[in-house]
């Protein structure tokens, strides 16, 4: 990229640098976890100079903040399998995969969120965005008559996914895919009975 | 306490010092959270000299470890209301109260567990102990025929309590008692249908 390119397409180059750096952060989290995430490691991995990283992001927690905020700008959509049970099982399998990856980017980001208030707020923004997108699953289930109209989308989604996060992140226990499926089916059945 | 007392009843005095110090740690966590928990603050609050604290516990995380380990030695028992629903609602109300206290000792200990591996392991030992004691609730429900014999106590208890921890600690959202009750009832209904 010649210097003239910077002048002609500052947004384009800036966006590419951001994408390159965030991809490096994501890869490092998946390989070494948040303990191994340093500005030097990100500079080496991304090929972007440490000074640039420092000037633009300032610190490792702010890199995580940007990674999480970038997640709220992606085109992820909740699964649409045709049934509430299918959708909840699909969501829980995504959560299961994220939580049981070794090392888990999700677990690394959660750990970082307890060390940096900014990272904590970014993680909550990211999750709020994901739960809002998942509400579509519950709206469709209400339209299909699978759950009563008063069903609270957030409460139902937290009933399905919350046990996975608790078991894996706070209790630090094993989590099988069968267990993730069971919690999805349990939440669906309770919601169908008007309990959520 | 005269010096001769130390020689005659070292265990007694030692146990009293421990109880005094751990009560101070507990009180400080409830008043200022884990950020305000320092050896100096514990010394001032407990009246036990900082040198003694340092010699016996070494660091603030190790004080938390001991507080959590002391919790596994207490005589707490799972509620026994006569029905699975009553027991799960009672458990969830305890969790709700612990998570919504301002500041919350539980939230403070969880935050500390992400900063100190020893505190993290102690917190997991504490929770494992609590979930094991709560398994009695499920065993009684099986005996009463409220849930099928194959019901997994741990899975059912995590289905009831996990959404509370997720909503409050990881998502950082509000948690009403009505919501805590709803998750208890949802888990009971799902277990009664053989889903947990």
């Amino acid at each position: 990229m010649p210097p003239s390119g910077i002048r002609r397409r500052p947004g384009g180059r800036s966006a590419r640098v951001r994408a390159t750096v965030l991809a490096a952060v994501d890869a490092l989290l998946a390989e070494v976890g948040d303990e191994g995430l340093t500005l030097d490691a990100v500079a080496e991995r991304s090929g972007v100079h440490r000074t640039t990283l420092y000037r633009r992001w300032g610190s490792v927690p702010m890199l995580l903040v940007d990674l999480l905020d970038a997640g709220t700008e992606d085109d992820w959509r909740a699964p649409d399998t045709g049934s509430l049970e299918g959708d909840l099982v699909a969501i829980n399998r995504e959560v299961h995969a994220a939580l049981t990856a070794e090392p888990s980017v999700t677990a690394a980001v959660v750990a970082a969120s307890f060390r940096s208030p900014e990272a904590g707020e970014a993680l909550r923004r990211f999750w709020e965005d994901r739960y809002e997108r998942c509400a579509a699953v519950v709206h469709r289930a209400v339209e299909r008559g699978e759950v009563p109209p008063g069903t609270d989308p957030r409460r139902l989604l937290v009933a399905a996914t919350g046990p996975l996060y608790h078991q894996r992140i706070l209790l630090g226990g094993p989590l099988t895919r069968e267990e993730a499926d069971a919690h999805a089916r349990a939440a669906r059945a309770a919601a169908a009975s008007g309990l959520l």
Side-chain angles (χ1 to χ4, degrees), chain A residues 106-166:
Chain A
T106 304
V109 170
V110 170
S113 78
F114 282 95
R115 296 196 197 101
S116 151
E118 291 86 359
E121 282 159 31
L123 180 57
R124 285 162 186 190
R125 281 197 299 274
F126 174 79
W127 270 329
E128 288 307 319
D129 175 68
R130 284 293 193 259
Y131 279 103
E132 272 173 36
R133 296 195 212 186
C134 284
V137 159
V138 183
H139 296 317
R140 288 194 296 260
V142 171
E143 280 167 25
R144 284 189 300 253
E146 293 183 272
V147 292
T151 305
D152 183 330
R154 166 68 171 245
R155 191 175 291 188
L156 167 50
L157 292 161
V158 168
T161 60
L164 280 56
Y165 288 98
H166 189 51

Side-chain angles (χ1 to χ4, degrees), chain A residues 35-174:
Chain A
E35 309 268 340
L37 192 69
T38 62
L39 283 188
D40 285 330
V42 175
E44 193 184 347
R45 180 68 172 238
S46 64
V48 173
H49 202 280
R50 195 185 185 289
T51 313
T52 305
L53 298 178
Y54 184 76
R55 201 169 50 223
R56 182 149 168 189
W57 283 277
S59 67
V60 165
M62 294 315 288
L63 276 169
L64 285 174
V65 166
D66 203 26
L67 179 69
L68 289 161
D69 285 342
T72 68
E73 297 154 16
D74 69 10
D75 57 359
W76 186 89
R77 293 175 70 172
D80 186 5
T81 65
S83 76
L84 178 59
E85 179 163 316
D87 289 354
L88 292 176
V89 165
I91 289 169
N92 268 18
R93 285 186 180 181
E94 277 197 38
V95 173
H96 170 263
L99 291 176
T100 56
E102 288 286 354
S104 159
V105 171
T106 304
V109 170
V110 170
S113 78
F114 282 95
R115 296 196 197 101
S116 151
E118 291 86 359
E121 282 159 31
L123 180 57
R124 285 162 186 190
R125 281 197 299 274
F126 174 79
W127 270 329
E128 288 307 319
D129 175 68
R130 284 293 193 259
Y131 279 103
E132 272 173 36
R133 296 195 212 186
C134 284
V137 159
V138 183
H139 296 317
R140 288 194 296 260
V142 171
E143 280 167 25
R144 284 189 300 253
E146 293 183 272
V147 292
T151 305
D152 183 330
R154 166 68 171 245
R155 191 175 291 188
L156 167 50
L157 292 161
V158 168
T161 60
L164 280 56
Y165 288 98
H166 189 51
Q167 167 70 10
R168 189 76 184 144
I169 295 193
L170 295 189
L171 301 178

